[in-house]
Amino acid sequence: MSAQVSGLFRYPIKGLSRELLKSVTLQAGRGVCGDREFALALPATVFDEGNPQPLPKFQFLMLARQEALARLTTSYEPGTGLLSVTDGAQGWSADVRSAEGRGAIAAFFARFLPDDQKSSQPRLVTAANHRFTDVGVHSSELMQAISMLNLASVRDLETRIGKRLDPRRFRANILVEGLDPWVENEWLNRDLMLGTVRCKGVRLTRRCPATEVNPDNAIRDINVPQELMRCYGHIHLGIYLTVITAGMVGIGDKVTATC
């Protein structure tokens, strides 16, 4: 079968759950609209929303350190500014555009995190044309990059370690079926087509401790970076893309690499 897009996602708030997309309109040099638009800054983090600068991910709540975040199911409605959070059977909503709503969000996360993962009361931050991507500290191009995951590579790793790896561990924007395992590692500085959208491979995805966290129970149960190094001699799984020509990508669209 030909390679095709099998999943599309965005993550409105850094470290929190994904939202499923049926299609996405991509613009040249821009990431997925609404992806990593917000982050929960630690109390000591200095972030100027009027003059945003990329900061290391450890200055925000993140799964690599606060694995309890995986227990939460979240959704965000851009039209109303409403963030909804569910922890098991308990759910609540708050308006991210109001001071009262942001205060309620900060207070929840201060209460929610267990003592060994607490960082006092975080604050919700955002800024125009800014994304809280892990690799954004390296360049403005990477701040707007889109992450793609080859599911054949995930399955190859599963076979080698004898354990199932839910793709949610890898927090990708685009999942692709039908490729050969690890072919994405050959796509640096090469163009590829997602349907009619031309992209370029700009950086392999180095995997961090966030991938150790089981998305079903929020327990660290597989040391993915360690297993990658043991099996392949590197800790890469996935690739970051930058958009060259604008267009719409949908589930089922063909994925082809150019020569």
Side-chain angles (χ1 to χ4, degrees):
M1 106 177 154
S2 61
Q4 61 183 6
V5 174
S6 61
L8 290 169
F9 308 94
R10 68 179 178 187
Y11 301 78
I13 301 178
K14 182 179 183 65
L16 301 186
S17 64
R18 67 186 188 180
E19 294 183 355
L20 174 65
L21 305 172
K22 294 182 179 179
S23 63
V24 60
T25 299
L26 298 174
Q27 300 178 17
R30 304 288 295 174
V32 173
C33 182
D35 187 57
R36 276 81 172 186
E37 183 177 351
F38 298 90
L40 288 155
L42 301 181
T45 297
V46 178
F47 182 79
D48 183 352
E49 296 193 1
N51 182 32
Q53 301 297 319
L55 297 172
K57 61 184 179 181
F58 60 75
Q59 296 201 29
F60 306 93
L61 292 187
M62 59 176 182
L63 280 172
R65 290 186 176 176
Q66 286 87 23
E67 64 266 23
L69 296 174
R71 285 172 34 200
L72 302 175
T73 301
T74 57
S75 63
Y76 174 63
E77 175 49 59
T80 63
L82 203 63
L83 171 68
S84 299
V85 180
T86 303
D87 178 14
Q90 302 296 317
W92 58 272
S93 300
D95 186 348
V96 305
R97 299 177 299 187
S98 71
E100 180 182 9
R102 288 194 180 202
I105 292 167
F108 168 79
F109 282 95
R111 295 191 307 270
F112 167 75
L113 290 172
D115 289 341
D116 62 343
Q117 298 176 40
K118 279 190 185 301
S119 297
S120 299
Q121 186 161 295
R123 68 188 187 283
L124 189 71
V125 294
T126 188
N129 301 317
H130 186 87
R131 297 183 193 279
F132 297 95
T133 52
D134 286 355
V135 291
V137 293
H138 297 292
S139 69
S140 57
E141 178 185 46
L142 286 170
M143 180 186 291
Q144 298 292 339
I146 295 167
S147 58
M148 193 189 82
L149 185 68
N150 177 4
L151 292 176
S153 300
V154 176
R155 286 193 289 269
D156 187 69
L157 178 57
E158 286 180 329
T159 299
R160 289 177 180 247
I161 68 175
K163 298 176 182 177
R164 180 176 179 272
L165 291 166
D166 191 312
R168 287 180 293 165
R169 289 179 187 258
F170 304 102
R171 302 180 64 76
N173 296 122
I174 299 174
L175 304 182
V176 177
E177 283 279 17
L179 295 171
D180 292 333
W182 306 107
V183 68
E184 69 276 17
N185 289 2
E186 303 170 7
W187 287 354
L188 283 177
N189 300 313
R190 288 182 60 185
D191 286 1
L192 62 147
M193 302 298 297
L194 304 176
T196 60
V197 176
R198 183 177 294 274
C199 300
K200 181 178 72 173
V202 291
R203 187 181 178 92
L204 298 180
T205 309
R206 290 172 57 88
R207 289 305 171 181
C208 74
T211 57
E212 299 172 5
V213 182
N214 186 315
D216 289 325
N217 57 26
I219 294 172
R220 295 184 186 276
D221 58 0
I222 303 175
N223 190 326
V224 173
Q226 179 177 289
E227 294 288 13
L228 283 167
M229 182 59 71
R230 180 179 67 84
C231 294
Y232 307 103
H234 62 73
I235 58 171
H236 301 125
L237 183 52
I239 189 169
Y240 287 103
L241 311 175
T242 188
V243 179
I244 306 299
T245 60
M248 180 177 289
V249 177
I251 302 296
D253 282 356
K254 290 182 63 176
V255 177
T256 54
T258 61
C259 298

